[in-house]
Amino acid sequence: MRITILFGGSNRERLVSVASAQALHQALPEADLWWWDIEDKVHVVQSKQLLEHARPFEDEFKPGTRGIPLEQALDQAKVESRVLVLGLHGGRAENGELQVMCEARGVPFTGSGSASSHLAFDKFAAKRFAALGGVTPPANIALDDIDEAFAEYGRLIAKPARDGSSYGLIFVNAKQDLVAVRNAAKHEEYVIEPYIAGIEATCGVLERTDGSIIALPPIEIIPGEGSFDYAAKYLLKSTQEICPGRFAPEITAALKAQAMLAHRAMSCTGYSRSDFIVSDKGLVYLETNTLPGLTKSSLYPKALKAEGIAFVDFLRGLVELARRGVRK
């Protein structure tokens, strides 16, 4: 099979996807490069274009320029025996739509399948399945009850029910923030929860080629300005990501166990990363990401390094799983 890195996508996380693709291509220099643009077309990209990239790819592929529709590209991938390494984030790339298109054609790809991806991307459903799997998520608050909940808890947090990378995250610290939540909820469904004080943590899970899974060292996150939103993740240099995290041994063990429970509860495959709050009342599950960032500065590669797993070995393992159709 030919290895092809698919990156870009039709949502707003394309820039992070480009950075992931750069890291993927440096580890897999033999791979072909396909850019999925906002018009749902796929373009062949040269190595130099990607590695020397310093601006949005939309500047290089103007609307109407050559490229083939995504469906046609996937048909071509089937005919040419390609395995797709997904350097994608959010939107249709992470909600299972791309995965089901690949599955319908028999095109192998890295990461979780369509059902798992769709489940994990829906924060309401993911919390429900995680709870059934033995993990403790925060309570859900109905939009109609937000005033009473704010009076009870003092602080709330609201986030889009189906989005990634902390876009649209709203911290409700004052009454005027309730207006922001209501306005945002007019445009998309929001998950509203009590604010849980504690240490932010994330823990990756890796499936090996024999079908077994392991949890990677948990990471402790200290946001640069007090909250781990999109800016703190990708823009603020003051954000600290400590790997392995400075947790007591029993907390580290619990984070690993809970991450594996969440991974299994949503039938994830290949790899995943689950986020938690380490509170004074125990671990609180936040969400599971089936396509964690794979940039040079991303959390998942840091955990791989701490575990002693080379990035290229991790990728070749994912490719092997995809090739063999190991989706237990």
Side-chain angles (χ1 to χ4, degrees), residues 131-153:
L132 292 171
V135 179
T136 303
N140 289 322
I141 297 169
L143 183 62
D144 290 342
D145 299 331
I146 192 171
D147 291 288
E148 293 81 358
F150 180 65
E152 177 181 353
Y153 295 108

Side-chain angles (χ1 to χ4, degrees), residues 25-295:
H25 186 47
Q26 287 176 337
L28 300 172
E30 74 277 16
D32 295 324
L33 302 169
W34 283 4
W35 164 252
W36 174 11
D37 73 13
I38 58 175
E39 292 189 322
D40 255 6
K41 289 186 177 180
V42 173
H43 306 258
V44 175
V45 174
Q46 300 304 313
S47 178
K48 184 176 181 180
Q49 277 180 290
L50 175 62
L51 297 182
E52 296 182 1
H53 178 71
R55 63 185 187 278
F57 264 72
E58 285 83 351
D59 292 349
E60 301 183 32
F61 299 108
K62 300 293 185 183
T65 57
R66 292 187 63 184
I68 61 175
L70 175 63
E71 293 85 352
Q72 185 178 337
L74 296 179
D75 290 338
Q76 179 180 327
K78 172 62 175 177
V79 171
E80 296 174 347
S81 297
R82 295 176 181 267
V83 57
L84 301 182
V85 176
L86 302 186
L88 298 159
H89 307 290
R92 295 170 57 208
E94 200 166 345
N95 71 2
E97 292 186 23
L98 173 66
Q99 288 80 357
V100 78
M101 293 171 70
C102 291
E103 290 164 352
R105 293 166 170 80
V107 175
F109 57 91
T110 56
S112 292
S114 59
S116 299
S117 300
H118 187 73
L119 173 59
F121 198 69
D122 184 326
K123 293 182 178 67
F124 284 115
K127 287 170 63 176
R128 174 63 176 160
F129 273 64
L132 292 171
V135 179
T136 303
N140 289 322
I141 297 169
L143 183 62
D144 290 342
D145 299 331
I146 192 171
D147 291 288
E148 293 81 358
F150 180 65
E152 177 181 353
Y153 295 108
R155 298 180 69 186
L156 306 175
I157 188 167
K159 50 194 172 184
R162 297 167 194 89
D163 211 333
S165 292
S166 302
Y167 277 108
L169 191 64
I170 301 173
F171 291 90
V172 181
N173 300 315
K175 286 189 175 181
Q176 57 263 34
D177 298 325
L178 299 174
V179 177
V181 174
R182 287 193 174 93
N183 288 336
K186 292 177 183 177
H187 305 286
E188 58 183 315
E189 189 174 15
Y190 259 68
V191 174
I192 306 169
E193 302 166 340
Y195 177 84
I196 308 295
I199 301 170
E200 301 200 39
T202 191
C203 187
V205 172
L206 173 65
E207 181 180 0
R208 297 184 288 198
T209 53
D210 63 0
S212 64
I213 66 171
I214 62 169
L216 301 177
I219 299 175
E220 176 186 354
I221 300 167
I222 305 174
E225 293 184 358
S227 59
F228 198 49
D229 56 8
Y230 183 85
K233 279 186 178 182
Y234 300 116
L235 304 177
L236 293 181
K237 294 182 180 180
S238 55
T239 295
Q240 298 180 58
E241 298 161 348
I242 303 170
C243 185
R246 302 167 298 180
F247 303 112
E250 62 272 19
I251 298 298
T252 294
L255 284 166
K256 287 185 173 184
Q258 297 261 309
M260 291 178 70
L261 286 174
H263 182 95
R264 289 191 173 107
M266 280 163 268
S267 300
C268 297
T269 48
Y271 65 121
S272 70
R273 201 197 74 229
S274 291
D275 300 337
F276 300 88
I277 295 292
V278 182
S279 77
D280 57 5
K281 296 180 181 179
L283 300 185
V284 179
Y285 167 83
L286 299 180
E287 60 184 84
T288 295
N289 191 330
T290 56
L291 283 178
L294 296 176
T295 74

